Structure formats: structure tokens, C-alpha cells
Amino acid sequence: MFSPEGPSVRELAVQALSSVERGYDLLAPKFDHTPFRTPDAVLDAVESALRPTGPFGTGLDLCCGTGAGTAVLTRLCREHVVGADFSAGMLGVARERIRPGGPRLSWVRADARALPFGPAFDLVVSFGAFGHFLPRELSGLFAQVRAVLRPGGRFAFPLVAPPRPGTRAYWTLLGFDTVMRVRNALWRPPFVMYYRAFRLGDVRRELAGAGFRVELHALPEFGRRRDGSPRVRLVVARTPDAPTGQAGPVSRG
């Protein structure tokens, strides 16, 4: 799972026994050499799907980590791109690795549940961060995103279909989730990382409750499951009063 440049078992253990913020501060220098970083194939597919709807003026990479998604925004936005994360360590790595070029680039340390922005963005993206929010926090999180988007703005993120029960991936995720719940029952501070709790039905309901119009687009690069459903979808949540004449991504699912 990890390259030779990735963290050692001891380093992972120290991270897992820390808070989420402190854990990512510690992991930041080696984060891009772990399976936790969003694969380039997913980043590229999201960029390709969003490109026909742009170009955008301003963009926000929510929970940006080391900036992989921020780099995508620098190719989709013309004016200003912001990467926001609550880990100072992750932001430090992002500043070093994502060099300015194209739109103005800023890095902001912020909690996604209390964003320090007004309605300044045309596009908000997020990659791989939602497992760090409890289900009861989604409504507040999505309300924050809604508040920082301009009229007609979009909130986009990829969502992988859950593995089928009984498969190796299913048991791996279930085992990881169980370990995290036991860890949090026995140790403080908690380390919230429950990816099985981020389900499409709940996501659509909470986005609608925050005032978004929700669209689902298949990412064809990843194919379909036996039942015909997409393996990976792009969720695009749009604010009201979207400008006319802009088409959505061409891939539907």
C-alpha cells in the first residue's frame, strides 16, 4: 500500500493516536506517497468533466491537503484559486509543491465547518476529505460551502461507488471502520475517518437541504459495475440563479 518513501509503521501509529489535525501535520511530508492521496486518474477525470462548464473565475479547494486538487483548479480558473485546510503541515507542503502560475494562488488555514469567506467563489471542489466529518456534520458543512459560492456557483466532488458486500474491498473498509471506532472508544482525542458513512443518498439529501440543485455525472474513465451503475460519479451541486447558456458535463449517469 505504501511506497518506500511513505511513512513507517511507527509513524502511522503515532498519527493514528493523534487528533486529525495533528495527525495530518505529522503525515504531511510523506502524504503524497500514501494511498490516502487522491489518484491522478481521478483528478484528471474530474478536470475533464468540469472543463466544458468553464472557465471559472475563482475556485476553492476545500480540505486541500498537499494541493493536488488545487493544481486542478489552477487549470480551470482564470482569476484566483484558494487552497484551504486546517492542517498547517499540509498547507506548508502544498505551498512548496504547487508553484504559482496562471491565476493568483492563496493558501488559507481554515476549518471547513467555519469558512472565513464570503460568497466569493464560482467553483468549490473537494477530494477525499469527507470521511473526516461525522454524518451529523454534513448539513453544516454543505451550508458553509453554499455560503461561499456566488449565484450560479458549483460544488463538485467525486464519489466512488461502495464495494459490494463480500468482496475484499468491502471487508477491508469494514475492518478499517471497525478499528477506527474501537480506537475512538478507547482513546482521546478522536481521529474521525469513517468513509463508509459518506453515502450517496445521504449526500443528495443534505445537499438539497442546503439549497443546492444536485446533478450526478458518470466518470466514464472508470467504467460501470455489473448492474450498470457508474463505478465513480462526479457530484455537481449548483446554487440557484445559474447563468443561462452553460451546459453541464457531457457524461451523465
Side-chain angles (χ1 to χ4, degrees):
M1 292 180 65
F2 296 89
S3 70
E5 295 84 6
S8 66
V9 173
R10 180 182 181 279
E11 288 171 326
L12 286 172
V14 172
Q15 180 211 9
L17 294 176
S18 305
S19 66
V20 178
E21 180 180 353
R22 177 57 178 160
Y24 275 102
D25 284 347
L26 294 170
L27 184 62
K30 298 182 178 181
F31 178 78
D32 286 350
H33 301 288
T34 73
F36 306 128
R37 180 191 182 274
T38 301
D40 288 338
V42 174
L43 297 167
D44 293 343
V46 170
E47 180 179 348
S48 296
L50 290 173
R51 186 170 297 282
T53 71
F56 301 92
T58 56
L60 170 66
D61 183 9
L62 188 68
C63 306
C64 67
T66 54
T70 315
V72 170
L73 286 181
T74 63
R75 298 188 290 271
L76 294 173
C77 300
R78 295 176 296 184
E79 300 169 13
H80 187 197
V81 169
V82 176
D85 201 281
F86 77 158
S87 167
M90 299 292 267
L91 289 171
V93 173
R95 288 190 186 96
E96 291 296 319
R97 295 186 177 173
I98 311 299
R99 296 298 182 180
R104 183 162 57 95
L105 182 60
S106 303
W107 304 100
V108 177
R109 187 180 182 189
D111 189 327
R113 294 161 293 195
L115 292 172
F117 311 113
F121 299 101
D122 302 303
L123 175 64
V124 176
V125 299
S126 193
F127 295 91
F130 297 114
H132 296 301
F133 300 94
L134 296 171
R136 64 174 179 270
E137 296 177 307
L138 289 184
S139 61
L141 173 67
F142 293 159
Q144 285 291 303
V145 176
R146 172 72 179 81
V148 304
L149 280 167
R150 292 171 174 163
R154 291 172 171 85
F155 175 33
F157 53 89
L159 187 61
V160 179
R164 290 190 180 88
T167 62
R168 178 180 296 182
Y170 173 87
W171 291 115
T172 298
L173 285 180
L174 179 61
F176 182 84
D177 184 87
T178 301
V179 168
M180 292 303 300
R181 292 183 184 280
V182 171
R183 178 256 186 237
N184 289 336
L186 300 176
W187 194 269
R188 291 290 183 274
F191 193 97
V192 176
M193 194 171 181
Y194 301 131
Y195 285 102
R196 294 178 70 249
F198 195 69
R199 299 182 176 92
L200 178 59
D202 297 335
V203 169
R204 296 185 71 173
R205 183 180 63 254
E206 297 294 353
L207 285 170
F212 286 105
R213 297 197 303 269
V214 182
E215 304 168 359
L216 301 177
H217 305 276
L219 295 181
E221 295 87 342
F222 303 98
R224 292 182 177 268
R225 309 203 307 177
R226 291 180 183 176
D227 61 4
S229 62
R231 294 185 185 278
V232 184
R233 289 182 171 94
L234 179 65
V235 179
V236 180
R238 302 177 66 179
T239 60
D241 303 319
T244 60
Q246 290 190 3
V250 296
S251 301
R252 299 301 300 267

